[in-house]
Coordinates of all heavy atoms in Angstrom, one line a residue:
M51 N 25.3 -15.8 -39.4 CA 24.4 -16.7 -38.6 C 23.1 -15.8 -38.3 O 22.9 -14.8 -38.9 CB 25.1 -17.2 -37.4 CG 24.4 -18.3 -36.7 SD 25.0 -19.8 -37.5 CE 24.1 -21.0 -36.6
F52 N 22.4 -16.3 -37.2 CA 21.2 -15.6 -36.8 C 21.5 -14.5 -35.7 O 22.4 -14.8 -34.9 CB 20.2 -16.5 -36.2 CG 19.6 -17.5 -37.3 CD1 19.9 -18.9 -37.2 CD2 18.9 -17.1 -38.3 CE1 19.4 -19.7 -38.1 CE2 18.3 -18.0 -39.2 CZ 18.6 -19.3 -39.1
G53 N 20.8 -13.4 -35.8 CA 21.0 -12.4 -34.7 C 20.0 -12.8 -33.6 O 19.3 -13.7 -33.6
L54 N 20.1 -12.0 -32.5 CA 19.3 -12.2 -31.3 C 17.8 -12.1 -31.6 O 17.0 -12.9 -31.1 CB 19.7 -11.2 -30.2 CG 19.1 -11.4 -28.9 CD1 19.4 -12.8 -28.3 CD2 19.5 -10.3 -27.9
S55 N 17.4 -11.1 -32.4 CA 16.0 -10.9 -32.7 C 15.4 -12.1 -33.5 O 14.3 -12.5 -33.3 CB 15.7 -9.6 -33.4 OG 16.5 -9.6 -34.7
E56 N 16.2 -12.6 -34.5 CA 15.8 -13.8 -35.3 C 15.6 -15.0 -34.4 O 14.6 -15.8 -34.5 CB 16.7 -14.1 -36.4 CG 16.7 -13.1 -37.5 CD 17.6 -11.9 -37.3 OE1 18.4 -11.9 -36.3 OE2 17.6 -11.0 -38.1
L57 N 16.5 -15.2 -33.5 CA 16.4 -16.4 -32.5 C 15.2 -16.2 -31.6 O 14.5 -17.2 -31.3 CB 17.7 -16.5 -31.7 CG 18.9 -17.0 -32.4 CD1 20.2 -17.0 -31.5 CD2 18.7 -18.4 -32.9
A58 N 14.9 -15.0 -31.2 CA 13.7 -14.8 -30.4 C 12.4 -15.1 -31.1 O 11.5 -15.8 -30.6 CB 13.7 -13.4 -29.9
V59 N 12.3 -14.7 -32.4 CA 11.2 -15.0 -33.2 C 11.0 -16.5 -33.4 O 9.9 -17.1 -33.3 CB 11.2 -14.3 -34.6 CG1 10.1 -14.7 -35.5 CG2 11.1 -12.8 -34.3
I60 N 12.1 -17.2 -33.7 CA 12.1 -18.7 -33.9 C 11.7 -19.4 -32.6 O 10.9 -20.3 -32.6 CB 13.5 -19.2 -34.4 CG1 13.7 -18.7 -35.8 CG2 13.5 -20.7 -34.4 CD1 15.1 -18.9 -36.3
L61 N 12.2 -18.9 -31.5 CA 11.8 -19.5 -30.2 C 10.3 -19.3 -29.9 O 9.7 -20.3 -29.5 CB 12.7 -18.9 -29.1 CG 12.5 -19.4 -27.7 CD1 12.9 -20.9 -27.6 CD2 13.3 -18.7 -26.7
I62 N 9.8 -18.1 -30.2 CA 8.4 -17.9 -30.0 C 7.5 -18.8 -30.9 O 6.5 -19.4 -30.4 CB 8.0 -16.4 -30.2 CG1 8.7 -15.6 -29.1 CG2 6.5 -16.2 -30.3 CD1 8.6 -14.1 -29.3
V63 N 7.9 -19.0 -32.1 CA 7.2 -19.8 -33.0 C 7.2 -21.3 -32.6 O 6.2 -22.0 -32.6 CB 7.7 -19.7 -34.5 CG1 7.1 -20.7 -35.4 CG2 7.4 -18.3 -35.0
V64 N 8.4 -21.7 -32.1 CA 8.5 -23.1 -31.7 C 7.6 -23.3 -30.4 O 6.9 -24.3 -30.3 CB 10.0 -23.5 -31.4 CG1 10.1 -24.8 -30.6 CG2 10.8 -23.5 -32.7
I65 N 7.6 -22.4 -29.5 CA 6.8 -22.5 -28.3 C 5.3 -22.5 -28.7 O 4.6 -23.3 -28.1 CB 7.2 -21.4 -27.3 CG1 8.5 -21.6 -26.7 CG2 6.1 -21.3 -26.2 CD1 9.1 -20.5 -25.8
A66 N 4.9 -21.7 -29.6 CA 3.5 -21.6 -30.0 C 3.1 -22.9 -30.7 O 2.0 -23.4 -30.4 CB 3.3 -20.4 -30.9
V67 N 3.9 -23.5 -31.5 CA 3.6 -24.8 -32.1 C 3.5 -25.9 -31.1 O 2.6 -26.7 -31.1 CB 4.6 -25.1 -33.2 CG1 4.4 -26.5 -33.8 CG2 4.5 -24.1 -34.4
L68 N 4.5 -26.0 -30.2 CA 4.5 -27.1 -29.2 C 3.4 -26.9 -28.2 O 2.9 -27.9 -27.7 CB 5.9 -27.2 -28.6 CG 7.0 -27.5 -29.5 CD1 8.3 -27.5 -28.7 CD2 6.8 -28.9 -30.1
A69 N 3.0 -25.7 -27.9 CA 2.1 -25.5 -26.8 C 0.7 -25.0 -27.3 O -0.1 -24.4 -26.6 CB 2.6 -24.4 -25.8
A70 N 0.4 -25.3 -28.6 CA -0.8 -24.8 -29.3 C -2.1 -25.3 -28.5 O -3.0 -24.6 -28.5 CB -0.8 -25.2 -30.7
K71 N -2.0 -26.5 -28.0 CA -3.2 -27.0 -27.3 C -3.4 -26.3 -26.0 O -4.6 -26.1 -25.6 CB -3.0 -28.5 -27.1 CG -3.0 -29.4 -28.3 CD -2.9 -30.8 -28.0 CE -2.9 -31.7 -29.3 NZ -2.7 -33.1 -29.0
R72 N -2.4 -26.0 -25.3 CA -2.5 -25.3 -24.0 C -2.6 -23.8 -24.1 O -2.9 -23.1 -23.1 CB -1.4 -25.7 -23.1 CG -1.5 -27.2 -22.7 CD -0.4 -27.5 -21.7 NE 0.4 -28.6 -22.3 CZ 1.6 -28.8 -22.1 NH1 2.3 -28.0 -21.3 NH2 2.3 -29.8 -22.7
L73 N -2.2 -23.2 -25.2 CA -2.1 -21.8 -25.3 C -3.4 -21.1 -25.0 O -3.5 -20.1 -24.3 CB -1.5 -21.4 -26.7 CG -1.0 -20.0 -26.8 CD1 0.1 -19.7 -25.8 CD2 -0.5 -19.8 -28.2
P74 N -4.6 -21.5 -25.6 CA -5.8 -20.8 -25.3 C -6.2 -20.8 -23.8 O -6.7 -19.8 -23.3 CB -6.9 -21.6 -26.1 CG -6.1 -22.2 -27.2 CD -4.8 -22.5 -26.6
D75 N -5.9 -22.0 -23.1 CA -6.2 -22.0 -21.7 C -5.3 -21.1 -20.9 O -5.7 -20.5 -20.0 CB -6.0 -23.5 -21.2 CG -7.0 -24.4 -21.7 OD1 -8.1 -24.0 -22.1 OD2 -6.8 -25.6 -21.8
L76 N -4.0 -21.0 -21.3 CA -3.1 -20.1 -20.7 C -3.5 -18.6 -20.8 O -3.5 -17.8 -19.9 CB -1.7 -20.3 -21.2 CG -1.0 -21.6 -20.8 CD1 0.3 -21.7 -21.5 CD2 -0.8 -21.6 -19.3
V77 N -4.0 -18.3 -22.0 CA -4.4 -16.9 -22.3 C -5.7 -16.6 -21.5 O -5.8 -15.5 -20.9 CB -4.6 -16.7 -23.8 CG1 -5.2 -15.3 -24.1 CG2 -3.2 -16.8 -24.5
R78 N -6.6 -17.6 -21.5 CA -7.9 -17.4 -20.8 C -7.6 -17.2 -19.3 O -8.2 -16.3 -18.6 CB -8.8 -18.6 -21.0 CG -10.2 -18.4 -20.5 CD -11.1 -19.6 -20.9 NE -11.1 -19.8 -22.3 CZ -10.7 -20.9 -23.0 NH1 -10.2 -21.9 -22.3 NH2 -10.7 -21.0 -24.3
S79 N -6.7 -18.0 -18.8 CA -6.3 -17.9 -17.3 C -5.7 -16.6 -17.0 O -5.9 -15.9 -16.0 CB -5.4 -19.0 -17.0 OG -4.9 -18.9 -15.7
A80 N -4.8 -16.1 -17.9 CA -4.2 -14.8 -17.7 C -5.2 -13.7 -17.8 O -5.1 -12.7 -17.0 CB -3.1 -14.6 -18.8
G81 N -6.2 -13.8 -18.6 CA -7.3 -12.8 -18.7 C -8.1 -12.7 -17.4 O -8.4 -11.7 -16.9
K82 N -8.4 -13.9 -16.9 CA -9.2 -14.0 -15.6 C -8.4 -13.4 -14.5 O -8.9 -12.7 -13.7 CB -9.5 -15.5 -15.3 CG -10.6 -16.0 -16.1 CD -10.9 -17.5 -15.7 CE -12.0 -18.1 -16.6 NZ -12.3 -19.5 -16.2
S83 N -7.1 -13.7 -14.5 CA -6.3 -13.2 -13.4 C -6.2 -11.6 -13.5 O -6.3 -11.0 -12.5 CB -4.8 -13.7 -13.5 OG -4.9 -15.1 -13.3
A84 N -6.1 -11.1 -14.7 CA -6.1 -9.7 -14.8 C -7.4 -9.0 -14.4 O -7.4 -8.0 -13.7 CB -5.8 -9.3 -16.3
R85 N -8.5 -9.6 -14.7 CA -9.8 -9.1 -14.3 C -9.9 -9.1 -12.8 O -10.4 -8.2 -12.2 CB -10.9 -9.9 -14.9 CG -11.2 -9.5 -16.4 CD -12.5 -10.0 -16.9 NE -12.5 -11.5 -16.9 CZ -12.1 -12.3 -17.9 NH1 -11.6 -11.7 -19.0 NH2 -12.2 -13.6 -17.8
I86 N -9.5 -10.2 -12.2 CA -9.6 -10.3 -10.7 C -8.7 -9.3 -10.1 O -9.1 -8.6 -9.1 CB -9.2 -11.7 -10.2 CG1 -10.2 -12.7 -10.7 CG2 -9.0 -11.8 -8.7 CD1 -9.8 -14.2 -10.4
L87 N -7.5 -9.1 -10.6 CA -6.6 -8.1 -10.0 C -7.2 -6.7 -10.1 O -7.1 -5.9 -9.2 CB -5.3 -8.2 -10.8 CG -4.2 -7.2 -10.3 CD1 -3.8 -7.6 -8.8 CD2 -3.0 -7.3 -11.2
K88 N -7.8 -6.4 -11.3 CA -8.4 -5.1 -11.5 C -9.6 -4.9 -10.5 O -9.7 -3.8 -9.9 CB -9.0 -4.9 -12.9 CG -8.1 -4.3 -13.9 CD -8.9 -4.2 -15.2 CE -8.1 -3.4 -16.2 NZ -8.9 -3.3 -17.5
A89 N -10.4 -5.9 -10.3 CA -11.6 -5.8 -9.4 C -11.1 -5.6 -8.0 O -11.7 -4.8 -7.2 CB -12.4 -7.0 -9.5
E90 N -10.1 -6.3 -7.6 CA -9.6 -6.2 -6.2 C -8.9 -4.8 -6.0 O -9.1 -4.2 -4.9 CB -8.5 -7.3 -5.9 CG -9.1 -8.6 -5.8 CD -10.1 -8.8 -4.6 OE1 -9.8 -8.1 -3.5 OE2 -11.1 -9.4 -4.7
A91 N -8.2 -4.3 -7.0 CA -7.6 -3.0 -6.8 C -8.7 -1.9 -6.8 O -8.6 -1.0 -6.0 CB -6.7 -2.7 -8.0
R92 N -9.8 -2.0 -7.6 CA -10.9 -1.1 -7.5 C -11.6 -1.2 -6.2 O -11.9 -0.1 -5.6 CB -11.9 -1.4 -8.6 CG -12.9 -0.4 -8.8 CD -13.9 -0.7 -10.0 NE -13.2 -1.1 -11.2 CZ -13.4 -2.3 -11.8 NH1 -14.2 -3.2 -11.2 NH2 -12.8 -2.6 -12.9
A93 N -11.8 -2.4 -5.6 CA -12.5 -2.5 -4.3 C -11.6 -1.9 -3.2 O -12.2 -1.2 -2.3 CB -12.7 -4.0 -4.0
M94 N -10.3 -2.1 -3.3 CA -9.4 -1.5 -2.2 C -9.5 0.0 -2.3 O -9.5 0.7 -1.3 CB -8.0 -2.0 -2.4 CG -7.8 -3.4 -2.0 SD -6.1 -4.0 -2.2 CE -5.3 -2.9 -1.0
K95 N -9.5 0.6 -3.5 CA -9.6 2.0 -3.7 C -10.9 2.6 -3.1 O -10.9 3.6 -2.5 CB -9.4 2.4 -5.1 CG -9.3 3.9 -5.3 CD -9.0 4.3 -6.8 CE -8.8 5.8 -6.9 NZ -8.6 6.2 -8.3
E96 N -12.0 1.9 -3.5 CA -13.3 2.3 -3.0 C -13.4 2.3 -1.4 O -13.9 3.1 -0.8 CB -14.4 1.5 -3.6 CG -14.7 1.8 -5.0 CD -15.7 0.9 -5.7 OE1 -16.2 0.0 -4.9 OE2 -15.9 1.0 -6.9
Q97 N -12.8 1.2 -0.9 CA -12.8 1.0 0.6 C -12.0 2.1 1.2 O -12.3 2.6 2.3 CB -12.2 -0.4 0.9 CG -12.3 -0.7 2.4 CD -11.7 -2.0 2.7 OE1 -11.1 -2.7 1.9 NE2 -12.0 -2.5 3.9
E98 N -10.9 2.5 0.6 CA -10.0 3.5 1.1 C -10.7 4.9 1.1 O -10.6 5.7 2.0 CB -8.7 3.5 0.3 CG -7.6 4.5 0.9 CD -6.4 4.4 0.0 OE1 -5.6 3.5 0.2 OE2 -6.2 5.4 -0.8
D99 N -11.4 5.1 0.0 CA -12.2 6.4 -0.1 C -13.3 6.5 0.9 O -13.6 7.6 1.4 CB -12.7 6.5 -1.5 CG -11.6 6.7 -2.6 OD1 -10.5 7.1 -2.2 OD2 -11.9 6.6 -3.8
K100 N -14.0 5.4 1.2 CA -15.1 5.4 2.1 C -14.7 5.5 3.6 O -15.3 6.0 4.4 CB -16.0 4.1 1.9 CG -16.8 4.1 0.7 CD -17.6 2.9 0.5 CE -18.3 2.9 -0.8 NZ -19.1 1.7 -0.9
A101 N -13.6 4.8 3.9 CA -13.1 4.8 5.3 C -12.6 6.1 5.7 O -11.8 6.8 5.0 CB -12.0 3.7 5.5
P102 N -12.9 6.6 6.9 CA -12.4 7.8 7.4 C -10.9 7.6 7.7 O -10.4 6.6 8.1 CB -13.2 8.1 8.7 CG -13.7 6.8 9.1 CD -13.8 6.0 7.9
Q103 N -10.2 8.7 7.6 CA -8.8 8.7 7.9 C -8.5 8.5 9.3 O -8.9 9.4 10.1 CB -8.1 9.9 7.3 CG -8.1 10.0 5.8 CD -7.2 9.0 5.2 OE1 -6.3 8.5 5.8 NE2 -7.5 8.7 3.9
A104 N -7.9 7.4 9.8 CA -7.6 7.2 11.2 C -6.3 7.9 11.5 O -5.4 8.0 10.6 CB -7.5 5.7 11.4
P105 N -6.2 8.4 12.7 CA -4.9 9.0 13.1 C -3.8 8.0 13.0 O -4.0 6.8 13.3 CB -5.1 9.5 14.5 CG -6.3 8.8 15.0 CD -7.1 8.4 13.8
A106 N -2.6 8.4 12.7 CA -1.5 7.5 12.6 C -1.2 6.9 14.0 O -1.3 7.6 15.0 CB -0.3 8.3 12.1
A107 N -0.8 5.7 14.0 CA -0.5 5.0 15.2 C 0.8 5.6 15.8 O 1.7 5.9 15.0 CB -0.3 3.5 15.0
P108 N 1.0 5.7 17.1 CA 2.2 6.2 17.6 C 3.4 5.3 17.3 O 3.2 4.0 17.3 CB 2.0 6.3 19.1 CG 0.8 5.4 19.4 CD 0.0 5.3 18.1
R109 N 4.5 5.8 17.0 CA 5.7 5.0 16.7 C 6.3 4.6 18.1 O 6.5 5.5 19.0 CB 6.7 5.8 15.9 CG 6.3 5.8 14.5 CD 7.4 6.4 13.6 NE 8.5 7.0 14.4 CZ 9.4 7.8 13.9 NH1 9.3 8.2 12.7 NH2 10.4 8.3 14.6
I110 N 6.7 3.4 18.2 CA 7.4 2.9 19.4 C 8.8 2.7 19.1 O 9.2 2.0 18.2 CB 6.7 1.6 19.9 CG1 5.3 1.8 20.3 CG2 7.5 1.1 21.1 CD1 4.6 0.6 20.7
I111 N 9.6 3.5 19.8 CA 11.1 3.4 19.5 C 11.6 2.4 20.6 O 11.3 2.5 21.8 CB 11.7 4.8 19.6 CG1 11.1 5.7 18.6 CG2 13.2 4.7 19.5 CD1 11.5 7.1 18.7
Q112 N 12.5 1.5 20.1 CA 13.0 0.5 21.0 C 13.8 1.2 22.2 O 14.5 2.1 22.0 CB 14.0 -0.4 20.2 CG 14.4 -1.6 21.0 CD 15.2 -2.5 20.2 OE1 15.5 -2.3 19.0 NE2 15.7 -3.6 20.8
G113 N 13.4 0.7 23.3 CA 14.1 1.2 24.5 C 13.3 2.3 25.2 O 13.7 2.6 26.4
E114 N 12.3 2.9 24.6 CA 11.5 3.9 25.3 C 10.3 3.3 25.9 O 9.8 2.3 25.5 CB 11.1 5.0 24.2 CG 12.1 5.9 23.8 CD 11.5 7.1 23.0 OE1 10.3 7.2 23.0 OE2 12.3 7.9 22.5
T115 N 9.9 3.9 27.0 CA 8.7 3.5 27.7 C 7.5 4.4 27.3 O 7.7 5.6 27.0 CB 8.8 3.5 29.2 OG1 9.2 4.8 29.6 CG2 9.9 2.6 29.7
L116 N 6.3 3.9 27.2 CA 5.2 4.7 26.9 C 4.7 5.4 28.1 O 4.6 4.9 29.2 CB 4.0 3.8 26.4 CG 4.3 3.0 25.1 CD1 3.2 2.1 24.8 CD2 4.6 4.0 23.9
R117 N 4.4 6.7 27.9 CA 3.8 7.5 28.9 C 2.8 8.5 28.3 O 3.0 8.8 27.1 CB 4.9 8.3 29.7 CG 5.8 9.1 28.8 CD 6.9 9.7 29.7 NE 7.8 10.4 28.8 CZ 8.9 9.8 28.3 NH1 9.2 8.6 28.6 NH2 9.7 10.5 27.5
P118 N 1.8 8.8 29.0 CA 0.8 9.7 28.4 C 1.4 11.1 28.0 O 2.3 11.6 28.6 CB -0.3 9.9 29.4 CG 0.3 9.4 30.7 CD 1.5 8.5 30.3
S119 N 0.8 11.6 26.9 CA 1.4 12.9 26.5 C 0.8 14.0 27.3 O -0.4 13.9 27.8 CB 1.0 13.2 25.0 OG -0.4 13.2 24.9
A120 N 1.5 15.1 27.5 CA 1.1 16.2 28.4 C 0.2 17.0 27.5 O 0.5 17.4 26.4 CB 2.3 17.0 28.8
T121 N -1.0 17.4 28.1 CA -1.9 18.2 27.4 C -2.4 19.3 28.3 O -2.5 19.1 29.5 CB -3.1 17.5 26.8 OG1 -3.8 16.8 27.9 CG2 -2.7 16.5 25.8
G122 N -2.8 20.4 27.8 CA -3.5 21.4 28.6 C -2.6 21.9 29.8 O -1.5 22.3 29.6
S123 N -3.1 21.8 31.0 CA -2.5 22.3 32.2 C -1.2 21.5 32.5 O -0.3 22.1 33.1 CB -3.4 22.4 33.4 OG -3.8 21.0 33.7
E124 N -1.2 20.3 32.1 CA 0.0 19.5 32.4 C 1.2 20.0 31.6 O 2.3 20.0 32.1 CB -0.2 18.0 32.0 CG -1.3 17.3 32.8 CD -1.6 15.9 32.3 OE1 -0.9 15.5 31.3 OE2 -2.5 15.3 32.8
R125 N 1.0 20.4 30.4 CA 2.1 20.9 29.6 C 2.6 22.3 30.0 O 3.8 22.5 30.1 CB 1.6 21.0 28.1 CG 2.7 21.4 27.2 CD 2.3 21.4 25.7 NE 0.8 21.6 25.6 CZ 0.1 21.2 24.6 NH1 0.6 20.4 23.7 NH2 -1.2 21.4 24.6
T126 N 1.7 23.2 30.4 CA 2.1 24.5 30.8 C 2.3 24.7 32.3 O 2.9 25.6 32.7 CB 1.0 25.5 30.4 OG1 -0.2 25.2 31.1 CG2 0.7 25.5 28.9
G127 N 1.8 23.7 33.1 CA 2.0 23.8 34.5 C 0.9 24.7 35.1 O 0.9 25.0 36.3
H128 N 0.0 25.2 34.3 CA -1.0 26.1 34.7 C -2.2 25.3 35.2 O -2.8 24.5 34.5 CB -1.4 27.0 33.5 CG -2.5 28.0 33.8 ND1 -2.3 28.9 34.8 CD2 -3.7 28.2 33.3 CE1 -3.4 29.7 34.9 NE2 -4.3 29.2 34.0
T129 N -2.7 25.6 36.4 CA -3.8 24.9 37.0 C -5.1 25.7 36.8 O -6.2 25.3 37.1 CB -3.6 24.7 38.5 OG1 -3.4 25.9 39.1 CG2 -2.4 23.7 38.7
G130 N -5.0 27.0 36.4 CA -6.2 27.8 36.3 C -6.4 28.7 37.4 O -7.2 29.7 37.3
D131 N -5.8 28.5 38.6 CA -5.9 29.4 39.7 C -5.1 30.7 39.6 O -5.6 31.7 39.9 CB -5.5 28.7 41.0 CG -6.4 27.5 41.3 OD1 -7.6 27.5 40.8 OD2 -6.0 26.5 42.0
T132 N -3.9 30.5 39.1 CA -3.0 31.7 39.0 C -2.5 31.7 37.6 O -2.3 30.7 36.9 CB -1.8 31.6 40.0 OG1 -1.1 30.4 39.7 CG2 -2.3 31.6 41.4
P133 N -2.2 32.9 37.0 CA -1.6 32.9 35.7 C -0.2 32.3 35.6 O 0.5 32.4 36.6 CB -1.6 34.4 35.3 CG -1.7 35.1 36.6 CD -2.4 34.2 37.6
P134 N 0.1 31.7 34.6 CA 1.5 31.1 34.5 C 2.5 32.2 34.5 O 2.3 33.3 34.1 CB 1.5 30.3 33.1 CG 0.3 30.8 32.4 CD -0.6 31.4 33.4
E135 N 3.7 31.8 34.9 CA 4.8 32.8 35.0 C 5.1 33.4 33.6 O 5.1 32.7 32.6 CB 6.1 32.1 35.5 CG 6.0 31.6 36.9 CD 7.2 31.0 37.4 OE1 8.3 31.4 37.0 OE2 7.1 30.0 38.2
G136 N 5.5 34.7 33.6 CA 5.9 35.3 32.4 C 4.7 35.8 31.6 O 4.8 36.4 30.5
R137 N 3.5 35.5 32.0 CA 2.3 36.0 31.3 C 1.5 36.9 32.1 O 1.3 36.7 33.3 CB 1.4 34.8 30.9 CG 2.0 33.9 29.8 CD 1.0 32.9 29.4 NE 1.4 32.3 28.2 CZ 0.7 31.4 27.6 NH1 -0.4 30.9 28.1 NH2 1.1 30.9 26.4
P138 N 0.9 37.9 31.5 CA 0.0 38.8 32.3 C -1.3 38.1 32.7 O -1.7 37.1 32.1 CB -0.3 39.9 31.3 CG 0.0 39.4 29.9 CD 1.0 38.3 30.1
G139 N -1.9 38.6 33.7 CA -3.2 38.0 34.2 C -4.3 38.1 33.2 O -4.1 38.7 32.1
H140 N -5.4 37.5 33.5 CA -6.5 37.4 32.6 C -7.1 38.7 32.3 O -7.6 39.5 32.8 CB -7.6 36.5 33.2 CG -7.1 35.1 33.3 ND1 -6.9 34.2 32.3 CD2 -6.8 34.4 34.4 CE1 -6.5 33.1 32.7 NE2 -6.4 33.1 34.0

């Protein structure tokens, strides 16, 4: 009988014959879609290249409360009047 590849070729020929009137429109539509997709991908890449890299947004873990991060003297406990413990003076 027929193998899988022969059946596939016959199926493609039957579809082409039955859909001959609509086939050019389908191919044209597929070409337009491909061009639009390419243009959008190119625009997104250009936009990404032009935009400055924004810092990553902080992750919020469920159950945690937001509080400001400690910086400078808050982190070390140093107010500037006296040297912090364990460190020699200025």
